[in-house]
Amino acid sequence: MASSAYRNGTVQKGTAKPISVTPTNLKSSSFKSRLHPSPGSGIRRTNPASFGAAGGNDGVPGRVRVAVRLRPRNAEELVADADFADCVELQPELKRLKLRKNNWDSDTYEFDEVLTEFASQKRVYEVVAKPVVESVLDGYNGTVMAYGQTGTGKTFTLGRLGEEDTSSRGIMVRSMEDVLADVSLETDSVCVSYLQLYMETIQDLLDPTNDNISIVEDPKTGDVSLPGATLLEIRDQQSYMELLRLGEAHRIAANTKLNTESSRSHAILMIHVKRSVVGREEDFSSETNNGSHFVKPSKPLVRKSKLVIVDLAGSERIHKSGSEGHMLEEAKSINLSLSALGKCINALAENSAHVPLRDSKLTRLLRDSFGGTARTSLIVTIGPSPRHRGETASTILFGQRAMKVENMLKIKEEFDYKSLSRRLEIQLDKLIAENERQQKVFDDEVERINLEAQNRIAEVERNFADALEKEKLKCQMEYMESVKKLEEKMLLNQQKQESNGFINDVCNGEGPGVSVAGEVAEIRKLLQNEIHMRKAAEEELNKLKSRLGQYALSGSCGDMQMSNLHKSLEDESCQKKKLEEEIVILRSQLLQLTFEADQMRRFLDRGECGNAFAGLDRHSQFKDTGNGQKAPSTTLFEQVGLQKILSLLESEDANVRIHAVKVVANLAAEEANQERIVEAGGLSSLLMLLRSFEDETVRRVAAGAIANLAMNEGNQELIMTQGGISLLSMTAADAEDPQTLRMVAGAIANLCGNDKLQMKLRSEGGIRALLGMVRCGHPDVLSQVARGIANFAKCESRASTQGVKSGRSLLIEDGALPWIVQNANNEAAPIRRHIELALCHLAQHEVNAKEMISGGALWELVRISRDCSREDIRSLARRTLSSSPTFRSEMRRLRIEL
């Protein structure tokens, strides 16, 4: 039988190397991934749906997978045990092994995989670690761990570097090869920490000076982290190999009888993988004349997963290892930590109510690997020597118990708000630049057309004026010449008539009459000529007028061109206005996302979760940041303007309207903005949205904004005056969405805390609406209902104490007492706390005592006075019970003592 020593990848002299067996003929087992890659191909990813929905809260059960590997006999065993057969018989085809008790009796065990002494390192990696690596690349946590006796080949299996012989590379090296082959270093990151647990002290193998690292546990999620450990980013395989060599050099090892280089510490390699998940982009078009399109990117996701590879120190017996002095203390520490791990495995396998995870730092570090949310593979290494049969049997039993442990696999996803914000900023910058370019081209074109039109009009006016002046001068000259000729002829006729007229008349008797008749005829002829000339002048004048009309018509064409230009200018102005509105929407959307990112980051830092609007249970405060930057609301006022935002509430585009009401709701969460919103008519607009729109999102966000405004006492009276409580009551009756009911209940709860509005609140159905919302059953809604009842009961108690109010409680008259008693011991702390306060305030008024006793409230008051977690409520309950004669009498009758 061939033998080999596996410590740190070194082979002892005189021993043969393990024989590699090609895995092509091996039977595939359930231990492998469902989509197992063929030899020599790149890593193939399993479908994440097989493990559960990404980002879902529900995990997928996954049992711890266990493989067993047999080490060949070494040189010492070949000599010492030559006459003895191996104590272990393997049946790999059946995934079974037999542990011989003697020559005729043996015990049989089954595992997920049984690896013979001839199994190659590649075969071991593919059946043990590769499915875990695939799960890590899909977003799940994973653990690969080796357990076994000292000298059975754990470090050879996990940590062999294979610098001389690449076929002997261990799981640590091969895992990083597959991780780097699958991730994209441009968008993803891979970081590594290398630690050792020595004598119950966590030490950094990459920085030996960092020798006392503390363990930090998240009280809510239970995640374990080591914030003091060195975390290095890996970009290539070469740097990773250097890191492993450095860590191996700093790891503590010693020479024992069982192993020349026995590990005296547990080595822990942590590989942190952070991957970006690219979301699908959706197109949506705004309903405008120009049909402009915008791209709305989905929120990018970041998946964080962790691969933990644990090389446990070997368990050993002191009389066999020969440990003395300091090595003896080391052996004790190792055995104690392995014993604590075994106890935890036993408790998990038996479904025990208590798992002793805090007995050792090793079990605290591995709390996610056994019974947690990680996919875990365990390889147990054993030797063939019959001298170590007890240790071999103990190792096999450890593996058998580990196979019974169930883990719940979960994916950890986070929204990458920074990436989304950068993408939106880039898109906004591109739109602004494109708008500026289009505006510049438009202005240049308008200026060119105006200048060309002005030049043409001026030229037409000049030509028309010149032609008209020439025609006018010509007509005047012709008319003056005609008049001059006519005057000359008339003068000649007069002279002839004076000299010859009378003489001829005397001599001839008839001469003057004939001469006068001739002259008259000649004058008539001249007059006819003048008439013709005048008609010709009139015709010429008409022609000139016609030409003038043509020129005027040409001028009217210029006016038509100018009107067309003005119309084009108006169209371009409308288009510019729409583009400006779209830019305002994008800018407000960017500020909205920045606001939500700041909110989410603040809640994550405090370990809280809340609504995007806040302001129901407590009023959100957004002040200027320490580095001088302004809050998102202040930036929104400066860049967009409140009036512009409020005007968008009336937009016909549903997406614009929804986004605008979200912005108003976020602005209303800041106390400094509330007065400005109310003065600008924002409260009336929000009430109008609550009254007229049936869209669930608009109603929910509008109710949230009204709830924020209702934190101010002055605004509470305005809400009541403008019919806000009636609108909230109708919304509470119609809505079914828990978040909408939560907003409405929060607004009514804020109004319940005003002493002056109690009667009007009750008369307009506020109390009945508050009690009607308990039909939802959602804890957040019930918490707001309980808060409103507590506020109302407190105001009633104060009014009764001051003598302003008498008679039994309005809450009891409206039938709230049964629900209050039923939920007085509710599992949800906010509901229980408010109900306990409401009971104490109702009990302070003596007139309510009898009905509270008959309704079972006395027993809850006694319980509150004894078991309430808050001292002030306990004290209030005790004082109330002690001061009420009715309660004291009933307690004496029932023999109840405080």
Side-chain angles (χ1 to χ4, degrees), residues 64-335:
V64 174
R65 301 291 179 171
V66 181
V68 62
R69 186 181 192 186
L70 177 65
R71 171 184 61 77
R73 286 193 178 190
N74 55 33
E76 181 183 354
E77 292 170 346
L78 287 173
V79 176
D81 301 332
D83 297 332
F84 299 95
D86 292 347
C87 66
V88 177
E89 178 185 349
L90 302 184
Q91 296 177 339
E93 66 280 358
L94 299 177
K95 295 179 177 56
R96 182 185 300 168
L97 67 82
K98 290 184 178 181
L99 180 63
R100 291 192 180 93
K101 296 181 179 179
N102 46 49
N103 291 333
W104 58 87
D105 192 13
S106 63
D107 293 328
T108 303
Y109 303 95
E110 291 185 357
F111 290 91
D112 294 295
E113 193 69 35
V114 174
L115 302 169
T116 68
E117 63 270 29
F118 305 108
S120 64
Q121 291 283 76
K122 182 178 181 180
R123 165 71 173 165
V124 174
Y125 170 72
E126 288 181 346
V127 301
V128 175
K130 194 165 188 175
V132 179
V133 175
E134 291 176 350
S135 295
V136 170
L137 292 173
D138 284 329
Y140 299 89
N141 290 339
T143 302
V144 178
M145 186 170 63
Y147 178 88
Q149 184 188 8
T150 298
T152 54
K154 298 183 298 299
T155 303
F156 177 84
T157 301
L158 296 182
R160 181 68 180 268
L161 299 183
E163 295 176 318
E164 298 178 358
D165 183 7
T166 56
S167 65
S168 64
R169 291 168 297 165
I171 290 176
M172 290 183 179
V173 178
R174 294 177 185 268
S175 299
M176 183 56 70
E177 288 177 350
D178 281 350
V179 170
L180 292 177
D182 193 75
V183 301
S184 174
L185 296 179
E186 295 180 357
T187 58
D188 307 335
S189 65
V190 180
C191 299
V192 172
S193 295
Y194 201 7
L195 312 167
Q196 71 173 356
L197 179 59
Y198 175 69
M199 300 286 287
E200 284 301 305
T201 302
I202 300 177
Q203 301 176 355
D204 197 336
L205 291 177
L206 304 180
D207 183 9
T209 59
N210 191 9
D211 59 356
N212 190 12
I213 300 174
S214 59
I215 301 175
V216 177
E217 297 181 13
D218 192 324
K220 291 189 175 181
T221 63
D223 293 339
V224 176
S225 60
L226 302 170
T230 301
L231 189 64
L232 299 179
E233 185 173 1
I234 301 300
R235 308 294 295 179
D236 52 46
Q237 187 71 12
Q238 183 65 28
S239 61
Y240 177 69
M241 295 293 290
E242 292 293 336
L243 181 146
L244 290 181
R245 279 193 290 269
L246 177 63
E248 192 65 25
H250 292 150
R251 188 177 179 187
I252 298 174
N255 184 8
T256 66
K257 291 181 179 181
L258 296 178
N259 193 354
T260 56
E261 293 186 22
S262 175
S263 300
R264 314 308 292 171
S265 65
H266 307 297
I268 303 165
L269 178 69
M270 294 184 179
I271 302 175
H272 301 267
V273 180
K274 181 179 179 182
R275 309 199 69 179
S276 297
V277 182
V278 180
R280 184 183 67 181
E281 295 184 351
E282 298 177 355
D283 295 337
F284 67 95
S285 59
S286 60
E287 298 178 359
T288 56
N289 293 333
N290 59 346
S292 60
H293 292 269
F294 295 95
V295 177
K296 181 179 180 182
S298 61
K299 295 180 180 179
L301 301 176
V302 176
R303 288 182 178 174
K304 295 180 180 180
S305 56
K306 178 174 64 176
L307 174 61
V308 180
I309 301 177
V310 184
D311 180 12
L312 296 174
S315 60
E316 59 184 47
R317 295 186 179 180
I318 305 303
H319 70 277
K320 290 186 177 182
S321 63
S323 299
E324 297 178 351
H326 185 66
M327 290 178 58
L328 178 60
E329 297 300 324
E330 293 175 342
K332 291 180 180 179
S333 177
I334 292 171
N335 289 337

Side-chain angles (χ1 to χ4, degrees), residues 633-765:
S633 59
T634 306
T635 307
L636 191 64
F637 276 137
E638 295 176 354
Q639 295 186 3
V640 180
L642 181 59
Q643 292 295 339
K644 185 67 175 179
I645 297 171
L646 294 178
S647 65
L648 294 178
L649 294 176
E650 302 176 0
S651 173
E652 296 180 358
D653 192 332
N655 292 330
V656 174
R657 186 170 60 250
I658 291 173
H659 188 73
V661 72
K662 286 183 179 180
V663 173
V664 174
N666 283 330
L667 294 175
E670 186 175 356
E671 187 176 359
N673 300 331
Q674 294 179 357
E675 184 178 356
R676 299 172 63 182
I677 292 174
V678 173
E679 290 178 354
L683 177 59
S684 302
S685 299
L686 292 171
L687 292 173
M688 183 229 8
L689 291 177
L690 205 60
R691 178 187 299 109
S692 58
F693 284 94
E694 297 180 358
D695 184 83
E696 192 65 28
T697 303
V698 173
R699 295 171 65 188
R700 179 175 66 253
V701 181
I706 294 171
N708 288 337
L709 294 175
M711 297 293 293
N712 185 287
E713 186 175 356
N715 295 338
Q716 293 173 355
E717 297 182 1
L718 290 176
I719 292 172
M720 296 292 291
T721 303
Q722 298 183 21
I725 188 61
S726 300
L727 292 175
L728 291 171
S729 301
M730 288 189 293
T731 305
D734 297 338
E736 295 295 335
D737 180 63
Q739 295 304 321
T740 303
L741 293 175
R742 177 176 179 263
M743 298 296 180
V744 174
I748 297 177
N750 291 336
L751 295 173
C752 287
N754 193 323
D755 296 338
K756 303 175 183 178
L757 306 177
Q758 287 216 312
M759 295 303 297
K760 189 173 183 181
L761 183 69
R762 192 240 183 170
S763 63
E764 293 186 10

Side-chain angles (χ1 to χ4, degrees), residues 459-757:
E459 183 179 359
V460 170
E461 288 179 349
R462 285 195 303 270
N463 294 337
F464 176 74
D466 294 341
L468 185 62
E469 187 67 24
K470 289 179 181 179
E471 292 296 331
K472 181 179 179 181
L473 291 175
K474 182 178 178 181
C475 290
Q476 289 179 353
M477 293 297 295
E478 291 178 354
Y479 180 75
M480 292 299 293
E481 289 178 358
S482 299
V483 172
K484 186 177 180 180
K485 289 179 180 180
L486 183 59
E487 288 179 350
E488 290 177 353
K489 289 181 179 180
M490 289 180 68
L491 183 60
L492 290 174
N493 290 331
Q494 288 178 359
Q495 290 176 356
K496 287 180 180 180
Q497 183 179 3
E498 290 176 355
S499 59
N500 300 321
F502 291 102
I503 297 173
N504 292 333
D505 289 339
V506 173
C507 296
N508 299 326
E510 294 178 357
V514 176
S515 176
V516 170
E519 289 294 332
V520 169
E522 187 176 358
I523 290 173
R524 286 179 177 176
K525 186 178 180 179
L526 290 175
L527 286 175
Q528 290 293 332
N529 291 335
E530 287 295 330
I531 291 172
H532 290 307
M533 291 178 64
R534 186 171 181 177
K535 288 182 177 180
E538 289 178 353
E539 290 178 357
E540 190 68 24
L541 182 60
N542 290 331
K543 290 180 180 180
L544 289 176
K545 288 182 179 180
S546 176
R547 293 179 63 183
L548 180 61
Q550 292 178 357
Y551 284 119
L553 181 62
S554 177
S556 66
C557 291
D559 293 337
M560 185 178 298
Q561 291 179 355
M562 287 297 295
S563 64
N564 291 334
L565 288 175
H566 283 299
K567 185 176 181 180
S568 299
L569 287 174
E570 290 176 356
D571 293 340
E572 293 295 337
S573 298
C574 294
Q575 183 177 2
K576 178 181 177 183
K577 184 177 180 181
K578 292 176 181 177
L579 288 174
E580 289 177 351
E581 290 181 354
E582 293 169 348
I583 291 174
V584 168
I585 294 171
L586 284 175
R587 185 174 295 165
S588 61
Q589 183 180 10
L590 176 61
L591 294 172
Q592 170 74 9
L593 288 172
T594 304
F595 173 79
E596 293 178 357
D598 292 339
Q599 282 289 88
M600 184 63 68
R601 191 180 300 111
R602 187 178 296 108
F603 289 145
L604 291 175
D605 291 341
R606 293 198 302 248
E608 298 177 357
C609 60
N611 187 275
F613 303 120
L616 294 181
D617 294 332
R618 53 187 174 81
H619 183 60
S620 301
Q621 298 291 335
F622 299 100
K623 299 181 179 180
D624 290 348
T625 57
N627 55 6
Q629 296 179 353
K630 295 183 178 180
S633 59
T634 306
T635 307
L636 191 64
F637 276 137
E638 295 176 354
Q639 295 186 3
V640 180
L642 181 59
Q643 292 295 339
K644 185 67 175 179
I645 297 171
L646 294 178
S647 65
L648 294 178
L649 294 176
E650 302 176 0
S651 173
E652 296 180 358
D653 192 332
N655 292 330
V656 174
R657 186 170 60 250
I658 291 173
H659 188 73
V661 72
K662 286 183 179 180
V663 173
V664 174
N666 283 330
L667 294 175
E670 186 175 356
E671 187 176 359
N673 300 331
Q674 294 179 357
E675 184 178 356
R676 299 172 63 182
I677 292 174
V678 173
E679 290 178 354
L683 177 59
S684 302
S685 299
L686 292 171
L687 292 173
M688 183 229 8
L689 291 177
L690 205 60
R691 178 187 299 109
S692 58
F693 284 94
E694 297 180 358
D695 184 83
E696 192 65 28
T697 303
V698 173
R699 295 171 65 188
R700 179 175 66 253
V701 181
I706 294 171
N708 288 337
L709 294 175
M711 297 293 293
N712 185 287
E713 186 175 356
N715 295 338
Q716 293 173 355
E717 297 182 1
L718 290 176
I719 292 172
M720 296 292 291
T721 303
Q722 298 183 21
I725 188 61
S726 300
L727 292 175
L728 291 171
S729 301
M730 288 189 293
T731 305
D734 297 338
E736 295 295 335
D737 180 63
Q739 295 304 321
T740 303
L741 293 175
R742 177 176 179 263
M743 298 296 180
V744 174
I748 297 177
N750 291 336
L751 295 173
C752 287
N754 193 323
D755 296 338
K756 303 175 183 178
L757 306 177

Side-chain angles (χ1 to χ4, degrees), residues 372-391:
T373 61
R375 184 173 189 177
T376 301
S377 288
L378 172 66
I379 179 168
V380 294
T381 57
I382 58 176
S385 175
R387 291 184 300 164
H388 304 302
R389 184 188 178 282
E391 288 80 355

Side-chain angles (χ1 to χ4, degrees), residues 745 748-750 752-753 758 761 766-767 770-772 774 782-797 809 811-812 815-821 823 831 834-839 841-842:
I748 297 177
N750 291 336
C752 287
Q758 287 216 312
L761 183 69
I767 301 301
L770 199 65
L771 294 174
V774 302
L782 297 181
S783 176
Q784 296 304 320
V785 172
R787 185 169 70 91
I789 290 175
N791 289 343
F792 198 92
K794 183 177 181 180
C795 291
E796 277 193 331
S797 174
S809 170
L811 291 172
I812 296 178
L817 185 60
W819 186 84
I820 294 174
V821 174
N823 289 270
I831 300 175
H834 291 309
I835 293 299
E836 289 173 347
L837 284 173
L839 278 174
H841 288 308
L842 288 174

